[in-house]
Amino acid sequence: MKGHLLWNAAQVIAIYLEDNVDDLVKSKTVLELGAGAGLPSLVCAVLGASKVVVTDYPDIDLIQNLQYNIDHCDALSSKSSIVAEGFLWGNSIAPLRSHLSSDDGFDLLILADILFNHSEHAKLVRTVKEALKPNSNARALVFFTPYRPWLLQNDLNFFNLAKDAGLAVEKVLERVMDKVMFEKDRGDELLRRTVFGYEVSLKQE
Ligand SMILES: C[S@@+](CC[C@H](N)C(=O)[O-])C[C@H]1O[C@@H](n2cnc3c(N)ncnc32)[C@H](O)[C@@H]1O
């Protein structure tokens, strides 16, 4: 897997997907936001998702890197189930939905280690609401590590905004990694090793 770091949340989501493959992945449509190297999306494509749209900031190098990882993923026999696209959070998702055979949204969204960008939370909430398929099984996996632990409450504020927007929020996991990602960083070491996992879904009437 080339380029850019693989952050904690992407690794933990990849395992979570493997553990819940029938519920979350098999024959599902998947959209990943801020994907970096795109590991969770590749895992979904390998494990039988019907379509995976893997996105990052619309920068040519980032998207070419995602494409490189798709092209060089030996475990992926057919590349046609996964497509890399540039996507800025909060923008219209119409171009992303055009990859789906039906126009009613995605079964699974993946947000791995992207809550650090507090100023973009409202846009992320808007995208989650717009992109989720309106059925009770569709959900967004929002996993993150507070790499700046003193800003944990700001990270968590994403979930307050999500609730305010009418979404349901459930904490599903807390996992302590063996090592911190950035040894020289400051702040509580245990928090900097912890991945918090949440599922966010549309509330059913
Ligand atoms: C910390 S990295 C996480 C990468 C990957 N999800 C992982 O867990 O390994 C954050 C990612 O968010 C992307 N990003 C930041 N702001 C963005 C925005 N406004 N729109 C789209 N992507 C953005 C960055 O390009 C980067 O790939």
Side-chain angles (χ1 to χ4, degrees), residues 18 20 27 32 61 81 106 111 115 139-140 157-158 163 169 172:
E18 284 182 329
N20 296 282
S27 307
E32 181 167 4
D61 288 341
S81 65
F106 292 85
L111 286 71
L115 296 190
R139 70 200 77 172
N157 195 44
F158 170 82
K163 286 181 204 158
V169 174
V172 292

Side-chain angles (χ1 to χ4, degrees), residues 5-10 32-37 56-58 62 87-89 112-114 116-117 120:
L5 287 167
L6 186 57
W7 297 71
N8 285 343
E32 181 167 4
L33 305 176
D56 205 328
Y57 190 88
L62 286 174
F87 177 69
L88 189 67
W89 306 333
D113 269 335
I114 60 178
F116 67 93
N117 210 341
E120 304 307 293

Side-chain angles (χ1 to χ4, degrees), residues 7-17 20 24 40 108-116 139-147 158-159 170-175 194-200:
W7 297 71
N8 285 343
Q11 299 176 49
V12 174
I13 285 191
I15 296 165
Y16 190 77
L17 292 167
N20 296 282
L24 295 180
L108 179 70
L109 307 190
I110 296 171
L111 286 71
D113 269 335
I114 60 178
L115 296 190
F116 67 93
R139 70 200 77 172
L141 302 182
V142 186
F143 285 33
F144 74 101
T145 289
Y147 298 101
F158 170 82
F159 300 105
E170 184 190 355
K171 186 173 177 183
V172 292
L173 170 146
E174 203 173 304
R175 177 159 305 157
T194 303
V195 177
F196 296 90
Y198 289 75
E199 290 191 359
V200 173

Side-chain angles (χ1 to χ4, degrees), residues 125 128-129 132 158-169 200-205:
V125 169
V128 167
K129 265 192 104 163
L132 274 178
F158 170 82
F159 300 105
N160 295 331
L161 293 183
K163 286 181 204 158
D164 290 348
L167 294 163
V169 174
V200 173
S201 55
L202 297 174
K203 264 196 194 133
Q204 296 305 306
E205 300 304 323

